[in-house]
Amino acid sequence: MTVRVRFAPSPTGMFHVGGARSALQNWIYAKQQGGVFVLRIEDTDAARNKPEWTEGILSALDWIGIERGSYEGPHFQSEYAGEHRAAAARLHESGRAYYCDCTREAVQARTGSQYQGYDGFCRDRGLPAGEGRALRFRTPDEGETVVVDLIRGEPTFENKLIEDFVIARGDGSPVFLLANVVDDMTMGITHVIRAEEHLPNTPKQQLLWDALGVKPPIWAHVPVVVNEKRQKLSKRRDKVALEAFRDEGYLAAAMRNYLMLLGWAPSGDREIVEWSVIEQEFRLAEVNPSPAFFDEKKLRAFNGEYIRALGVEEFVEACRPWLTGTGTIAPPPWQPEEFDADAFAAVAPLAQTRIALLSEIVPNVDFLFLAAPLIDEAAWAKAMKEGSAELLDAALAAFEALESWDAETLKSTLEAVGAERGLKLGKAQAPVRVAVTGRTVGLPLFESLEVLGRERTLSRLRAARARLV
Ligand code: GLU
């Protein structure tokens, strides 16, 4: 039997990191089993779906390493409406489903509770199909439904506690529970690896598989992803969109490594490992069923490590979208013609060890490309103390007299200027740094001045000095 798994997102919003995690787990499982990964877009909720969300899912999957053309699909659920309706009709014909015209109010009035669920009123009324009549599945009165779950063992549900649930609405349209099962059947899915949130649906869905006469799949419900307060990550409250992480400058390799650690770890106390190690070692059965904490701080630290591990040229290439404002990345504060690739290449190795997100490259190098530095006023106030004007005068005079403009000479020159005033290098550097870069922290100063060049450095020092009058 060929293993066939699927990832079945609904295109109703940005692509959730929890979805990305499930997609990767499906992807790896298929690869390990020599199976097939199917992408199915569950687009039947016409009111909430938008084509751009579908495109967003495809490109987010591409980014994370599940590339278009390397999987089956995308199939679109909306194209299988005929199969959904046929399955509903079969269930009705075989007596496994019946029509029901009860309103919610009527059910509540009979049961005296809004929580009780459906009371089976129409079970034996033999109503024919009709406008406004929902089709309900007749759940067994006895027995249990045992779900075989690779992560959770065998969660068991008593059938008598499962209400006669709706499978098609009053207008004949099938609901998620049925459409999802029929699609999995039609597409020959053997293993359903999906989020824990769907576990309450699973006994109902398995009953549908049984009623339609097809062997149900093996299930794996992967743990819910939570924030630091142990709340389920929600798009209204938390940053959850994979695209948002991408646009902030997380590397796909760091992201997918981190996502796979939600509830699982490679052997030997390691966390940062090659993707091939994860592909080899990951075992669905080893995934911890408890909620998995999505720790953005840790992810950030991970990303820093991944950035530092890049070759310098790869790093330069990876920074390009932030430096040129391509794709969905916000444009940098300089004009495209102000960007100087050689100057960037010269400071790139210095920046590479200092940033954790690619987007942080911009404030680190903007002084190189802007006509005048963006002065951070708080930094200015902190660095410009009594005596700073004199220090800048002395630094200017000493720098103007230099024959060679290199980091080492600049450093020893400023060191001497500071020493004459009883200042350590760090103190002497601060006003110079703010004058030239606008900030109190940044790349190593003297290398920065070397790359910025004599004329621009001197003119910025003069401008700062003029401001101190
Ligand atoms: N469209 C459903 C979702 O996004 C898929 C459920 C499933 O994987 O079975 O939650």
Side-chain angles (χ1 to χ4, degrees):
M1 176 193 72
T2 306
V3 164
R4 288 176 61 84
V5 300
R6 85 314 192 256
F7 176 56
S10 307
T12 53
M14 302 291 267
F15 189 50
H16 196 291
V17 287
R21 186 265 325 247
S22 307
L24 289 171
Q25 291 177 332
N26 272 287
W27 179 253
I28 293 179
Y29 192 72
K31 192 152 187 198
Q32 289 177 340
Q33 303 293 321
V36 177
F37 174 100
V38 177
L39 177 64
R40 177 170 78 237
I41 303 292
E42 300 212 322
D43 60 343
T44 37
D45 186 348
R48 293 172 62 215
N49 295 322
K50 288 199 201 132
E52 56 267 38
W53 297 135
T54 297
E55 183 46 38
I57 292 169
L58 298 180
S59 70
L61 286 174
D62 255 351
W63 180 68
I64 204 85
I66 301 178
E67 291 171 5
R68 274 175 244 235
S70 62
Y71 50 78
E72 181 182 312
H75 299 303
F76 290 88
Q77 185 160 68
S78 54
E79 289 169 10
Y80 293 82
E83 281 80 355
H84 305 153
R85 284 177 192 261
R90 264 168 57 211
L91 289 169
H92 180 240
E93 278 154 27
S94 64
R96 299 303 307 268
Y98 59 89
Y99 284 101
C100 163
D101 63 359
C102 297
T103 60
R104 187 175 312 208
E105 294 72 26
V107 177
Q108 276 179 28
R110 284 197 302 270
T111 61
S113 157
Q114 54 175 317
Y115 304 110
Q116 187 121 356
Y118 187 61
D119 61 351
F121 183 79
C122 293
R123 265 195 156 197
D124 301 311
R125 290 176 69 205
L127 291 176
E131 185 56 34
R133 288 182 180 162
L135 188 61
R136 286 187 183 272
F137 184 71
R138 187 190 302 273
T139 58
D141 296 324
E142 293 173 351
E144 304 176 324
T145 296
V146 181
V147 168
V148 177
D149 186 306
L150 291 176
I151 297 174
R152 280 154 216 280
E154 298 195 343
T156 300
F157 302 83
E158 269 193 76
N159 291 337
K160 68 169 187 282
L161 299 179
I162 305 174
E163 67 169 339
D164 285 356
F165 54 93
V166 171
I167 55 175
R169 303 181 189 87
D171 62 3
S173 62
V175 304
F176 160 76
L177 285 174
L178 179 67
N180 181 264
V181 164
V182 172
D183 289 347
D184 283 344
M185 240 171 231
T186 310
M187 293 167 198
I189 300 304
T190 58
H191 293 71
V192 171
I193 304 163
R194 63 178 177 183
E196 180 183 357
E197 291 90 315
H198 286 289
L199 186 56
N201 293 326
T202 306
K204 296 178 180 171
Q205 293 196 303
Q206 187 160 301
L207 287 171
L208 290 174
W209 282 84
D210 292 338
L212 288 163
V214 185
K215 184 171 168 281
I218 307 277
W219 311 87
H221 289 90
V222 303
V224 63
V225 183
V226 296
N227 66 18
E228 69 284 356
K229 293 190 188 132
R230 303 269 136 196
Q231 298 159 318
K232 186 177 147 187
L233 274 199
S234 112
K235 63 178 168 194
R236 270 173 293 282
R237 187 182 44 227
D238 306 298
K239 183 166 86 195
V240 299
L242 194 65
E243 296 91 326
F245 289 95
R246 178 189 62 195
D247 294 352
E248 271 182 37
Y250 283 89
L251 296 175
M255 194 74 199
R256 64 184 188 168
N257 184 166
Y258 182 71
L259 288 173
M260 288 304 293
L261 297 185
L262 295 171
W264 177 79
S267 62
D269 240 5
R270 295 174 299 172
E271 291 196 307
I272 295 189
V273 289
E274 294 277 328
W275 186 245
S276 57
V277 171
I278 296 183
E279 281 189 337
Q280 217 165 39
E281 292 194 1
F282 176 70
R283 293 289 173 272
L284 258 181
E286 288 173 5
V287 171
N288 183 336
S290 337
F293 172 33
F294 186 85
D295 184 349
E296 196 178 330
K297 286 204 191 87
K298 182 166 170 178
L299 171 59
R300 203 186 135 83
F302 247 64
N303 203 57
E305 294 215 26
Y306 267 91
I307 286 180
R308 289 190 282 286
L310 294 174
V312 179
E313 276 166 29
E314 287 173 305
F315 174 69
V316 167
E317 201 46 46
C319 288
R320 194 177 301 279
W322 283 268
L323 301 171
T324 56
T326 46
T328 52
I329 313 291
W334 55 82
Q335 296 303 315
E337 64 278 7
E338 290 178 306
F339 179 65
D340 175 347
D342 293 338
F344 178 64
V347 296
L350 305 173
Q352 188 174 0
T353 56
R354 286 176 169 73
I355 62 175
L357 303 178
L358 293 174
S359 56
E360 290 169 357
I361 194 63
V362 173
N364 272 288
V365 299
D366 57 3
F367 72 96
L368 276 177
F369 309 124
L370 290 165
L374 290 170
I375 303 279
D376 168 356
E377 291 304 329
W380 176 277
K382 203 164 129 200
M384 297 303 184
K385 302 252 163 59
E386 230 191 289
S388 292
E390 293 70 28
L391 180 99
L392 287 181
D393 281 337
L396 259 167
F399 286 174
E400 278 164 355
L402 287 180
E403 303 216 327
S404 106
W405 190 263
D406 61 86
E408 219 165 295
T409 310
L410 287 160
K411 181 177 174 199
S412 57
T413 305
L414 190 64
E415 215 158 18
V417 167
E420 281 164 24
R421 286 162 180 73
L423 295 176
K424 291 231 168 74
L425 182 60
K427 289 263 189 295
Q429 273 194 69
V432 173
R433 182 188 285 283
V434 167
V436 174
T437 70
R439 295 188 171 80
T440 46
V441 285
L443 303 185
L445 180 64
F446 302 104
E447 282 85 347
S448 299
L449 300 187
E450 179 181 328
V451 176
L452 187 64
R454 178 193 294 266
E455 287 322 311
R456 285 199 291 169
T457 301
L458 295 179
S459 86
R460 287 177 189 195
L461 290 173
R462 286 185 201 113
R465 175 63 188 87
R467 213 186 129 174
L468 289 175
V469 172

